[in-house]
Each structure stands twice: as structure tokens, then as C-alpha cells.
Amino acid sequence: MKVLIVGSGGREHALGWACSRSSLKPQIYCAPGNGGTTQIAENIDNIDAEDLISIIEFVKHKKIDLTIVGPEVPLVDGLADMLKKSKCKVFGPTQKAARIEGSKAFAKRLVDEAGVPTAEFEVFRKITRAEKYLRELCSLPVGAPIAGNKPFVVKASGLAAGKGVRVCSKLEEVIDAARDMLEHGAFGKAGSKIIIEEYLNGIETSLMAFVDGEDYLLLPPSRDHKQAFDNDKGPNTGGMGAFSPLDDLTSEDTARIAEKVFPPILKKFVKQGTPYSGLLYAGLMLTDYSKEDKGVKVLEFNCRFGDPEAQVLLPIIKVDPLEIMLAVAENRLKQWMVDNDLEPHDWQKLTGDRHAVTVVAAASGYPESYPKGMLIENLPSENDDVILFHAGTAIKRGRLVTSGGRALDVTGLGGSHKKAVETVYAAIEQVKFKGVRFRTDIGRKEY
Ligand code: AMP
Ligand code: GLY
């Protein structure tokens, strides 16, 4: 069979890597791919992941059997709908279902109507209304300055490449952030509608599932680290490292959390006539570990695999992800689960006792400005416990160079979390390019 993977990051290399090990023995194409995907696929580097017309033409011309869409933008723009209209199979939700990531205002309303726990929130288009809301909420008299220490979170509703969220500790900052987005076009159209929501304390956790209508198969819980520097300091990035599974959540805990989140949302989608199909990512805050469901509240949904979470999840599952993605694309996930004796929350059966940790080797200056084209040397050798997923690399005149801020994702595996951490750090310390930088604390405070 022929498979096309759309995208060019570490997530897409991981998807391609998983497909390359499939018993279905696919011929793999990657559009546009990166320096690493050349090892497992043919890169179609003249087709950008957001160039929907060229993707459709390529899929028809090459008679691709399954298109797997890595990033959110083409899904939110309707790539899955266009492929389906052309009778081509796709792993990824339709445009209407992808709104769960494309519009945070839509997602918050859906979550609220479905009775899924989330932070208290309001949606605004006008700064005057946002000001009035804060004034009333904080009992500030008319005319008094909006000042004081109370944390809130301000979010651009539309897609902003993970940068559209401002966590504010002072009321002045809330108004500044809201004004930046609504009046000064900080995120362009994505910020013309904003959400102001209650700040939640807790421990962040990602839960992902393969979804086909109301049927779903949960993947192991994982944890991402978005801040640039150790101890979660510095600006937010696309993700500096992740690990899975989590020693602080048993499979029973995860089942109780998933039960609160997935069935109500999936039912709601079906009821609206826009069933969800693909990978659904729930970004969660666990606000109270004394409760059975750990006080779970949804922070956000994404309509695709997490990056770098995919780089830990795909290597630890023992089943064939390509078989599952094909089953989802053909609306037969339930039957596949019956055939493989799997229930929705059986993620422990999927992993056995494998643990994985991914650490990102980034360019100095990332996520702000950073140089490109640095020669990458000393790649650690890969084996059953060390995998290199390329994120921002390219091959120039036969040599591997950096082409993005997050250049390489190194995944370490082991029979325990500690072993996986030791393995990943022994490997990533070898990587050399000018200015290379990585977080030294991914997964380390957990043992
Ligand atoms: P989001 O894109 O909505 O997941 O937000 C990005 C990041 O901002 C999350 O991963 C959290 O670290 C943080 N965040 C978002 N919403 C909240 C909230 N209500 N309370 C605390 N932190 C939040
Ligand atoms: N790792 C966070 C994301 O993929 O959105």
C-alpha cells in the first residue's frame, strides 16, 4: 500500500518511522518531510503541508491508499473533507470536527455543553466588554483602575502556533494581553476573538486517543514540557521534551479521567452530525489528586498527535499504528479493537512495561530568532533503546544541517522511567551543532 504523511516535524518523522515498521509494508511518501524522513520515505519536498491543492493532486496521481495528516493547519483548512470528496482515505478529522482546535471559543462551548469539566471562561470580541467583565468579577468600582494580583489566562481563539496563550498574574497584564490581541492584532485574525479564563493550579497531563465516531482507543498518558528552560522557566515553545507513561497515574486513574472527557465530547460531535475521526488530543490540568478523577479539567483539545508526545507514544506501543489509522479511516475501529481483544482504556496492554522519554536538541535563541544551516555532527547511534527523530533538519550538499529551531528529538526507551531518562541523556549529550541546547530536567524530577 502507499501512504502519504503530511508535515515536516518530529511528529511526522515518528509517524513515518511507525509506518515503516508496519506489517502492511507500505511505500511511504512525506510532504514535505525533513532530513530524517529521507531514511524511511520519499520526500516530496516541493509540496508544502498547507498547499492543499497540490496534496490532493499528488494523492490522486500516485494513487495513495492512506493520507495521514500530521499538523493542525491543513485539517482546520479542510484537507480531510477534500480528500474524502475525492474518495481518498484520510486519517484526520473533517474541517467541522477540527474546529475543536481551530477555534478555542467553539471548543470551550462544546466542552461546557457536553458537561466536561473546564476552567470558568467568557468569550470576548470587544475590549470594553472584557474590561467590564473583569471589573465585575473582581468587584472593582466604576472608574477605579483595573489593578491587583489575581491570575487569569488570556487566549486567542484561533490558531496561533501554540503562542496565543498568556498566563497573567496581575489584572493589568490581563487587560494588556486582551488589548494586544483584540486591538493591536497580536495574532492577526486568530486574536480577533479571545477567551479570558480562570487560572488553574495543578499538574498538566496529555491524553490522546484514536477516535472513530463514539469509539475510541486511549493511548498512554504523557507529559509535555513547553517552556524553553529547566524548571519550566522561560518562554513557551512548541515543546522541549515529553515522557510516557506517567508513574503518578495508574491505568484505573487514567480510565476514570478519560471517562469524564472522551465519551461526552464524542457523543456531542455525533449528535451535531459532525462525528470525529482521527486522533483527539486532550490537554488536561489535574487539579486535585485526592479525588478519584484527580480533579481533571480540560485546558484544550488538539485535532492531531502532540509533538513531541508522538515521539514517545509511537515507540512504546506494541500494536501497529498504521493498522489502527487505516481502521479509523475505514470506520472500523470498533471491529479492529474486538479482533485485537482491546477495550477503550486498555493502554497498559498496548505498552507492556515500556517507558519513553524524548528530549529536544534546539538551536540557541529558539523560540525567538535563531540561526539555521548549522552542521550537525556526532549523531548517537540508534538501537532498540535510542531513536533519533528529526524535527528541523535538512540535507544540504549531502550533509545534515539544522533547518528549524527544534532540530532533533532524541527518544530513550527502557523498562522503567528512570532507565529511559538515563538512556536519553547519555545519547543527547553526544549531539553536536553550533549553539545546541536542550533541557536537562525532562523526567528527572519524577524519580
Ligand atoms: P492551551 O494552548 O490552551 O493548552 O494553553 C497553553 C498552556 O498554557 C497550557 O499548556 C498551560 O500550561 C497554560 N494554560 C492554559 N490554560 C490555563 C489555565 N486555565 N490555567 C493555568 N494554565 C493554563
Ligand atoms: N505538545 C503540545 C502540542 O502538540 O500541542
Side-chain angles (χ1 to χ4, degrees):
M1 76 182 287
K2 291 182 184 170
V3 170
L4 170 68
I5 295 166
V6 175
S8 62
R11 167 184 48 210
E12 288 74 28
H13 189 184
L15 285 163
W17 173 88
C19 290
S20 73
R21 298 159 67 92
S22 167
S23 56
L24 298 172
K25 300 211 175 315
Q27 189 175 346
I28 309 169
Y29 300 88
C30 225
N34 63 33
T37 55
T38 52
Q39 297 158 15
I40 41 96
E42 183 181 328
N43 277 4
I44 312 299
D45 47 21
N46 60 341
I47 300 186
D48 188 82
E50 295 173 21
D51 180 356
L52 306 198
I53 303 286
S54 301
I55 293 171
I56 302 284
E57 276 172 7
F58 179 82
V59 167
K60 287 202 218 158
H61 173 69
K62 280 280 178 191
K63 299 195 170 35
I64 297 290
D65 298 290
L66 178 68
T67 302
I68 300 170
V69 188
E72 62 279 13
V73 172
L75 291 166
V76 169
D77 287 348
L79 179 57
D81 308 64
M82 288 165 72
L83 284 165
K84 283 182 180 176
K85 214 178 261 172
S86 302
K87 305 257 177 295
C88 302
K89 285 177 204 159
V90 56
F91 179 76
T94 59
Q95 188 168 33
K96 283 197 171 140
R99 274 197 299 169
I100 200 158
E101 177 163 4
S103 164
K104 283 186 190 285
F106 167 84
K108 288 294 285 192
R109 273 195 290 270
L110 192 82
V111 163
D112 211 30
E113 285 167 20
V116 174
T118 189
E120 293 290 326
F121 72 101
E122 284 292 335
V123 179
F124 301 99
R125 284 178 183 277
K126 295 240 174 319
I127 189 71
T128 44
R129 282 210 43 234
E131 272 192 44
K132 187 163 176 280
Y133 166 78
L134 275 180
R135 208 175 269 290
E136 281 168 11
L137 207 64
C138 302
S139 310
L140 293 168
V142 180
I146 296 189
N149 292 331
K150 189 164 164 49
F152 281 98
V153 184
V154 183
K155 301 182 176 185
S157 178
L159 288 183
K163 297 191 182 101
V165 174
R166 286 263 302 270
V167 178
C168 308
S169 54
K170 293 188 164 75
L171 291 184
E172 298 99 299
E173 289 173 18
V174 180
I175 285 299
D176 283 351
R179 187 167 286 119
D180 274 355
M181 294 183 199
L182 289 173
E183 301 213 312
H184 303 153
F187 299 104
K189 205 165 159 272
S192 62
K193 204 192 276 178
I194 63 162
I195 286 116
I196 299 184
E197 73 177 32
E198 154 198 32
Y199 175 82
L200 299 173
N201 266 310
I203 299 183
E204 271 192 74
T205 294
S206 312
L207 259 192
M208 273 156 251
F210 291 105
V211 172
D212 174 13
E214 288 193 34
D215 299 314
Y216 67 99
L217 177 64
L218 205 63
L219 281 157
S222 57
R223 194 156 289 144
D224 176 26
H225 290 74
K226 290 201 175 98
Q227 285 87 0
F229 307 119
D230 282 10
N231 301 313
D232 294 332
K233 297 272 182 329
N236 261 355
T237 70
M240 295 299 287
F243 60 90
S244 178
L246 309 176
D247 285 343
D248 58 339
L249 291 182
T250 63
S251 55
E252 291 77 26
D253 293 333
T254 320
R256 280 190 286 262
I257 294 168
E259 197 65 47
K260 276 262 162 90
V261 176
F262 286 92
I265 286 292
L266 300 185
K267 276 199 179 79
K268 186 91 191 141
F269 268 124
V270 168
K271 210 165 154 205
Q272 288 186 171
T274 56
Y276 195 94
S277 166
L279 194 290
L280 185 59
Y281 168 136
L284 308 171
M285 190 69 95
L286 305 181
T287 64
D288 187 349
Y289 268 62
S290 70
K291 292 193 174 151
E292 282 213 321
D293 67 3
K294 307 294 174 212
V296 59
K297 296 198 178 187
V298 169
L299 291 179
E300 63 161 346
F301 278 108
N302 294 323
C303 64
R304 36 78 194 169
F305 268 103
D307 186 344
E309 289 96 325
Q311 292 88 304
V312 288
L313 294 174
L314 293 167
I316 53 174
I317 58 174
K318 290 186 296 191
V319 285
D320 182 345
L322 179 55
E323 266 188 28
I324 307 178
M325 291 188 275
L326 190 61
V328 168
E330 293 175 347
N331 297 117
R332 52 175 181 81
L333 176 64
K334 191 173 190 160
Q335 189 56 48
W336 186 88
M337 285 164 64
V338 170
D339 294 346
N340 288 275
D341 193 23
L342 285 165
E343 296 283 335
H345 301 148
D346 274 350
W347 62 265
Q348 222 151 18
K349 268 203 208 165
L350 300 183
T351 60
D353 55 5
R354 295 287 273 171
H355 289 249
V357 181
T358 292
V359 181
V360 176
S364 82
Y366 174 78
E368 274 93 40
S369 61
Y370 51 84
K372 291 183 186 173
M374 302 292 134
L375 184 67
I376 306 174
E377 293 174 296
N378 255 26
L379 288 185
S381 48
E382 294 187 71
N383 55 48
D384 283 352
D385 288 340
V386 175
I387 313 170
L388 302 182
F389 293 121
H390 293 225
T393 73
I395 294 173
K396 290 270 154 72
R397 286 186 231 101
R399 304 177 89 181
L400 189 68
V401 297
T402 65
S403 62
R406 291 191 295 172
L408 270 180
D409 305 329
V410 182
T411 295
L413 295 135
S416 69
H417 176 70
K418 185 167 187 274
K419 187 81 192 57
V421 173
E422 286 165 359
T423 301
V424 75
Y425 276 107
I428 199 166
E429 272 151 19
Q430 298 170 38
V431 176
K432 298 274 175 284
F433 60 85
K434 199 167 166 219
V436 59
R437 187 176 72 67
F438 55 85
R439 275 184 62 160
T440 63
D441 64 341
I442 306 295
R444 279 207 163 123
K445 54 183 177 298
E446 281 75 18
Y447 69 82

